[in-house]
Structures are given as C-alpha cells and as structure tokens.
Amino acid sequence: MRKFLWIFLILLIVAAGIGYYGYNAIFAPNVTLAQDEQLIRIPTGFTYEDVLLMLEDKEIIDNSRTFDQVASLMDYKSSSIRSGQYEIKNNWSNKELVGLLRSGRQTPVNVTFNNLRKPEDVAGKISSYLEIDSLTLKEYFEHPSALEKAGLTPETFLSLFIPNTYQMYWNVSKEDILDRMITEHDKFWSKENRLKKAEKLNLTPEEVYTLASIVEKESLRNDEKTTIAGVYLNRLKQGIPLQADPTVVFATGEFDLRRVLNKHLAYDSPYNTYLYAGLPPGPIYMPSISSIDGVLNYNGHDYLYFCANPDQPGGHLFAASLSEHNRNAARYHRWLNARGIR
C-alpha cells in the first residue's frame, strides 16, 4: 500500500511538473524586446524554419524550443506561412506571438510620395516602403494591362497618383497597389466638386493635372498659383502657346538648368510649349494638391504673361500686354546677368 502511495505521489509530481512546464511554455513571457514593441517582416516564400531562424537571429524569443512546441501545438508549424509586417510586443507569450503570426493580422505601412517627376520615380518611392521591388512595379506600371485598367496612356499615367500618405500592407501585390491608386484617384476627384470644376474648364482630370504640374514648377508660393493658372488658362483659351519654361526643361532632360536659353527653346519635343500650342502630352511633374486646386479655382484676370520678380524671391511680375511683359523680362534678365547666371 505504501509503495503504491509513493508511486502515486511520484506520478502526481511528474504530472504537476509537466503541467507547469506546459503552462509556462504556452502562457509565460518568451518575447524580449529593447522597447515596448517591434515590427518584424516575414517575406513572401518564407518557411516555418525561416521564421524561427529570424526570431532567433533577432533575439526576439528567449526559448526557441518552447516556441517550436507551441507553434506545433497551434498548427502554425505545419500551416502556410503568412508573409507581411507584424507588430509584436515585449513580454508576449508564445501563444500570443504564434497567434499573431498565424492570423496574418498585419500592421500597415505608411506610404508617402510627392515631388516626383515620372512614373518610374513613383514606382521607386512606393517600393522603398514595401516588399515589392522597384523594377517589378515599374514594369507593371508600363504594361498595357495596367494602362488599360487605369484608363491612361504612358504620357498621362503619372496623373493617377495623388500625392499623399497611404496605408498599405507591406506584402501588397502590384495589382492591389494599382487598384488602390485608382480608388484614391477617383475619390480625390469626386470631392470638392473637382470633376465639375474641370468640366467647366473644358479639361479632363488628366489635363488639369498636367497644367497643375506646370504651375507647380513655376512657383512654390501657394498665394500665386491661382494667378499663374489663370495666365495659362487665358493663353489656352486664346490659342496662344503656353511658352512655359518648365516644359522646356522637361523636354531637354536638363533638370539642373538655372536659365533657359534660346537653344533650349528650339529643342524639338511635343513637351516644348514654345514650339507646340496647347498642353503637353502629359504632366511634367507630380503637382501638389494646392497646385491642382489652384488650377480648378484659378484667379480670373486678363494677364497673359509673367516672369520672376527680382525684388521678391519666389514671386512673379504679371502683365496683360507684351510691352509690359518685355519690360519686366528685361529687368529680370539684367538681374540674372548681374549675378552671372547664364
């Protein structure tokens, strides 16, 4: 009887020990971080062994063996690994960590883009935040299927992108990126009567965006953008070439030009608005929202010309007549010459 009691006590102790170990393996803290939380990224194609190795290399888990056991118990070890960006917290248990990774509940990435010149620049900027590489995204943006879905041409494709900050999942596909941009583009144009204002100007959203890109490169001063837009709209209505220096810079590709000369004005390109009347084939830059709205809410006036104001850095002198403009331009050229800008 006494022997049986001892055996029972030993088994009870062993069971208690196993239970204690099992409880700690599942529920005790096993995540140690230098801060309260940390983001980890699991690339597409990772296996369970890759995930475990990453957690070990980053010294995120204290005990690999208990993590492995809980991962097996919760069927994470044998399941398809969900890629993405995850936020984990200090002192988490194996159950909490495995539960998050198994669920696929990602923490989104803030993707910000502005001040870009071409679609390939946008691809590079977006990809810098995400898993997708820039070449893959660039090639997709240039693919006929993407252009058709967006309803745009290679020349107007930049107009799809409204500068802002967007939340995306780190492992988002190229198709989903395009769909998101189309949704955001349509949402932007549906607000504040933008579509109706564009129609009133007899311009498409792409044409408004294109004109806004010129306005953007002409002035950084928001208080002047509606007036500059008014100048260009007056010239469009009267069939006068826009004669916008930024379009010449874009056409030549000499983006560091400090002064546009006659040789640049003679550069043959459909983007050269000195040689070709009307708007260029597409935007020459990603305009800010203030420039887009500056076109839509342009300042009505009779100005047809403007040039930089040497007495007001970043400002411009506006004129309704060519003679007045020539006087303003001569004054500005003297200012350039005096500073050796040639």
Side-chain angles (χ1 to χ4, degrees):
M1 183 70 179
R2 181 175 296 179
K3 182 178 180 181
F4 176 78
L5 182 59
W6 277 109
I7 294 174
F8 176 77
L9 288 174
I10 292 172
L11 291 175
L12 186 62
I13 292 171
V14 170
I18 293 173
Y20 179 76
Y21 175 85
Y23 179 88
N24 281 336
I26 297 171
F27 298 107
N30 193 39
V31 172
T32 301
L33 306 175
Q35 56 277 343
D36 291 336
E37 60 273 324
Q38 179 177 329
L39 292 173
I40 62 171
R41 290 172 172 175
I42 299 177
T44 300
F46 251 37
T47 65
Y48 169 75
E49 288 72 22
D50 294 327
V51 174
L52 181 59
L53 183 60
M54 179 189 68
L55 295 175
E56 291 173 336
D57 288 346
K58 293 181 179 293
E59 298 182 346
I60 290 172
I61 53 177
D62 298 324
N63 191 318
S64 301
R65 184 177 63 179
T66 59
F67 176 86
D68 184 67
Q69 291 168 341
V70 173
S72 180
L73 183 66
M74 296 178 66
D75 293 327
Y76 178 62
K77 191 173 180 178
S78 59
S79 65
S80 296
I81 299 303
R82 296 174 180 264
S83 62
Q85 174 176 270
Y86 300 93
E87 183 181 79
I88 59 178
K89 298 187 182 298
N90 193 32
N91 294 321
W92 261 8
S93 66
N94 285 321
K95 181 178 183 297
E96 290 171 307
L97 178 56
V98 172
L100 174 69
L101 300 181
R102 188 183 65 173
S103 71
R105 294 191 306 272
Q106 293 191 55
T107 297
V109 179
N110 287 327
V111 177
T112 301
F113 54 78
N114 51 43
N115 302 324
L116 300 169
R117 184 170 281 112
K118 296 181 178 181
E120 52 261 42
D121 301 327
V122 182
K125 187 65 174 179
I126 292 177
S127 66
S128 69
Y129 293 98
L130 305 174
E131 180 182 29
I132 192 169
D133 68 89
S134 59
L135 180 59
T136 297
L137 194 56
K138 171 185 177 294
E139 291 177 345
Y140 180 63
F141 283 167
E142 296 170 347
H143 196 273
S145 63
L147 296 171
E148 182 179 1
K149 178 180 279 192
L152 299 168
T153 65
E155 293 77 19
T156 61
F157 193 72
L158 184 67
S159 67
L160 176 66
F161 303 96
I162 307 300
N164 211 330
T165 297
Y166 303 96
Q167 286 198 328
M168 301 182 189
Y169 289 127
W170 178 71
N171 61 339
V172 65
S173 68
K174 60 183 184 292
E175 292 84 4
D176 285 343
I177 292 173
L178 180 62
D179 288 343
R180 176 67 182 282
M181 292 298 96
I182 292 173
T183 297
E184 296 294 343
H185 170 276
D186 294 347
K187 186 187 302 182
F188 172 82
W189 283 99
S190 68
K191 292 180 179 178
E192 300 180 24
N193 291 318
R194 289 189 175 102
L195 279 177
K196 289 184 178 180
K197 290 175 181 178
E199 290 173 2
K200 192 173 181 180
L201 294 174
N202 291 319
L203 297 176
T204 65
E206 295 76 42
E207 290 171 331
V208 170
Y209 193 102
T210 296
L211 182 53
S213 72
I214 299 174
V215 173
E216 178 76 15
K217 297 303 290 182
E218 289 285 16
S219 179
L220 296 176
R221 292 182 48 167
N222 289 339
D223 61 333
E224 282 194 348
K225 288 180 178 179
T226 55
T227 304
I228 292 175
V231 171
Y232 286 132
L233 288 168
N234 286 343
R235 294 178 78 92
L236 285 174
K237 291 175 184 176
Q238 297 183 37
I240 304 172
L242 296 184
Q243 296 184 325
D245 287 359
T247 66
V248 176
V249 173
F250 182 85
T252 62
E254 297 182 40
F255 301 120
D256 57 350
L257 272 181
R258 299 181 66 192
R259 184 171 182 176
V260 175
L261 305 174
N262 288 333
K263 66 177 181 179
H264 302 122
L265 300 182
Y267 188 88
D268 191 9
S269 165
Y271 285 91
N272 186 344
T273 56
Y274 277 83
L275 298 181
Y276 296 94
L279 291 167
I284 60 170
Y285 198 75
M286 179 184 290
S288 60
I289 292 176
S290 63
S291 291
I292 297 173
D293 287 338
V295 173
L296 295 173
N297 302 291
Y298 73 99
N299 182 9
H301 51 63
D302 60 355
Y303 297 139
L304 290 172
Y305 309 92
F306 67 91
C307 72
N309 185 349
D311 299 327
Q312 189 181 58
H316 293 83
L317 297 169
F318 296 88
S321 68
L322 181 58
S323 59
E324 182 183 5
H325 172 66
N326 286 338
R327 289 194 296 271
N328 292 337
R331 177 182 166 193
Y332 177 59
H333 289 152
R334 287 194 297 271
W335 182 87
L336 290 175
N337 292 335
R339 284 154 181 77
I341 302 175
R342 302 180 183 278

